Amino acid sequence: MRRIPYSYALASLLVLALVIWLAVGDFQRFQSSPPDVNATERDSTPRVEVITQQSAPYIPNHVLQGQLTAERETLLRANVTGYVAEKPVAQGETVNRGDTLLVLDNDALPQRLQQARDELTLAEAEYAGAQSLRRRELISQPELLRLQSALSASAAQVAQLEKQLSDTRPTAPFEGVLDRVQVELGDLLQPGEEWARLIDDRQLTGTAWVSQQQIGELSVGLPVTARLLNGQSLSGEVSYISSRAEEATRTFYIEITLDNPERQRLAGSSAEFTITLPPRQVHTLSPALFSLNEQGQLAIKHVVENNRVAQTAIELVSADTERAYVTGLPNSVQLITLGAGLVNPGETVTPVSPHTQEGGHAAVD
């Protein structure tokens, strides 16, 4: 009997094994139970990575650059002509309201004033007597009016001389520090000439300019901290906000009242003002999660009920290069951190927590 070559036998075995494998695979394909449709649908639903976040209180603030001025400051000017006779207060001294700051040569004003007062007394007596005579019709009405006019002229003369005498001894209109005295004994002062400055720096006024985007968040009474160039700080509050922006800069002028109990020499210097705004509930997140909705507003995509995607408009409270503070989202929200760019509002997704990702991460937005 002739033997079958070994190579033919091996080939026959391989063909037989292939036929059996194909028959088994075809049988499995046509088995009676259908595949899991739900599993197939789950596999086709977009997967997004989400984190659940709660809102937290946040105290926003505005930082402005400005300058400090004394709460009250006035230039002292001469009201009458006269030579400087006395300097009762030295430059830099603290004075009270009503203290005499300077004495000018009075040019015999006290004597002239006494004479005018005597003439006024005489005019008053003559007018009183004339009134009595007029009631008895012993003098005419024009004569009574002449005496009344003389009385008024005498009273005006007394008032004028009293004012001139007072102007030769100017007094402090408020408590403060006498600053920059510019006259010496014997100097001649003319009306309107500046001779010193009075400064009340127990309180300081900070002035700054606020942009039209920020002005709506400010109100009178908000607390302010002023940081000085020497590292120290003062506390105060917003005391005035202008009602109209400057046309050139579109910024609003504000004033800040600051306590200066130690009377530090700060008037005229610059400062950095931090205005503390009312606290707000915000979410802290990465600016990379921002998107724009159909209205062109900043928005955030997140997952709501039934695993559907929502896109909610937000308000940016504050931001830096690493994080942003926003309002407008629910207190508890499922933020889409990966895959937001691949899904649309209203679409159903499969939310996955970062620590349960399988087979790598979802696509990055």
Side-chain angles (χ1 to χ4, degrees):
M1 184 176 178
R2 190 176 177 180
R3 298 178 60 184
I4 299 174
Y6 175 76
S7 60
Y8 288 171
L10 180 61
S12 298
L13 290 174
L14 290 175
V15 170
L16 181 60
L18 180 60
V19 171
I20 294 173
W21 178 77
L22 289 174
V24 173
D26 188 65
F27 175 76
Q28 291 291 336
R29 188 177 54 148
F30 290 102
Q31 60 182 328
S32 60
S33 59
D36 188 353
V37 176
N38 291 333
T40 302
E41 291 180 353
R42 284 197 301 267
D43 292 340
S44 64
T45 303
R47 293 158 59 89
V48 293
E49 182 179 292
V50 300
I51 60 170
T52 301
Q53 187 179 82
Q54 302 290 332
S55 64
Y58 173 72
I59 301 178
N61 59 63
H62 286 324
V63 179
L64 308 172
Q65 302 297 324
Q67 63 179 11
L68 299 172
T69 60
E71 181 192 27
R72 291 186 294 183
E73 178 177 330
T74 185
L75 296 177
L76 301 176
R77 301 179 184 274
N79 290 328
V80 294
T81 301
Y83 291 95
V84 178
E86 297 181 35
K87 294 173 60 179
V89 180
Q91 180 173 258
E93 287 188 4
T94 300
V95 297
N96 296 315
R97 180 179 180 180
D99 288 353
T100 299
L101 305 178
L102 196 68
V103 177
L104 301 179
D105 180 17
N106 56 39
D107 192 23
L109 277 174
Q111 292 78 11
R112 293 166 54 193
L113 177 59
Q114 185 58 48
Q115 179 184 2
R117 286 172 175 168
D118 293 342
E119 292 176 354
L120 175 60
T121 302
L122 176 61
E124 288 174 343
E126 289 179 344
Y127 180 67
Q131 284 181 313
S132 177
L133 293 175
R134 178 58 186 164
R135 283 193 292 270
R136 290 178 290 171
E137 297 184 354
L138 297 178
I139 62 171
S140 64
Q141 180 67 21
E143 179 64 17
L144 178 63
L145 294 177
R146 185 187 65 78
L147 293 174
Q148 183 180 4
S149 175
L151 174 60
S152 299
S154 296
Q157 181 67 14
V158 169
Q160 182 179 12
L161 291 175
E162 287 178 342
K163 178 65 169 56
Q164 289 182 2
L165 183 60
S166 175
D167 287 340
T168 63
R169 304 176 65 87
T171 59
F174 52 81
E175 180 182 347
V177 176
L178 188 63
D179 187 52
R180 296 180 59 182
V181 177
Q182 304 174 28
V183 294
E184 296 296 338
L185 295 177
D187 287 348
L188 176 63
L189 285 178
Q190 299 292 342
E193 184 177 352
E194 177 187 341
W195 60 271
R197 177 180 296 175
L198 186 63
I199 299 174
D200 180 7
D201 57 359
R202 292 172 299 175
Q203 282 191 328
L204 299 172
T205 299
T207 59
W209 296 88
V210 181
S211 68
Q212 53 187 338
Q213 291 84 3
Q214 298 174 326
I215 195 64
E217 299 177 331
L218 301 186
S219 61
V220 172
L222 287 177
V224 181
T225 299
R227 184 174 178 273
L228 311 176
L229 295 181
N230 60 7
Q232 296 179 325
S233 61
L234 297 175
S235 298
E237 63 179 26
V238 177
S239 56
Y240 172 76
I241 302 175
S242 63
S243 300
R244 185 179 184 278
E246 288 293 312
E247 293 184 1
T249 61
R250 302 301 179 189
T251 55
F252 290 81
Y253 172 79
I254 69 169
E255 290 185 357
I256 299 163
T257 300
L258 301 158
D259 292 325
N260 183 29
E262 298 180 3
R263 287 195 137 161
Q264 300 182 68
R265 291 178 174 85
L266 299 172
S269 62
S270 58
E272 179 184 84
F273 305 115
T274 301
I275 303 176
T276 303
L277 303 178
R280 306 177 69 176
Q281 289 292 121
V282 303
H283 284 276
T284 305
L285 44 81
S286 169
L289 302 181
F290 289 170
S291 61
L292 292 178
N293 59 18
E294 294 180 353
Q295 291 75 35
Q297 301 169 313
L298 279 180
I300 292 293
K301 289 181 180 179
H302 56 101
V303 177
V304 294
E305 294 181 359
N306 301 323
N307 291 337
R308 293 192 176 275
V309 177
Q311 188 178 34
T312 301
I314 59 171
E315 177 187 350
L316 183 63
V317 177
S318 180
D320 53 36
T321 56
E322 298 180 355
R323 56 189 171 273
Y325 304 92
V326 303
T327 61
L329 295 172
N331 288 333
S332 179
V333 63
Q334 281 189 303
L335 296 173
I336 301 178
T337 56
L338 288 175
L342 304 178
V343 294
N344 297 314
E347 187 175 350
T348 301
V349 295
T350 300
V352 180
S353 300
H355 56 81
T356 60
Q357 285 281 18
E358 299 178 1
H361 292 291
V364 179
D365 183 10

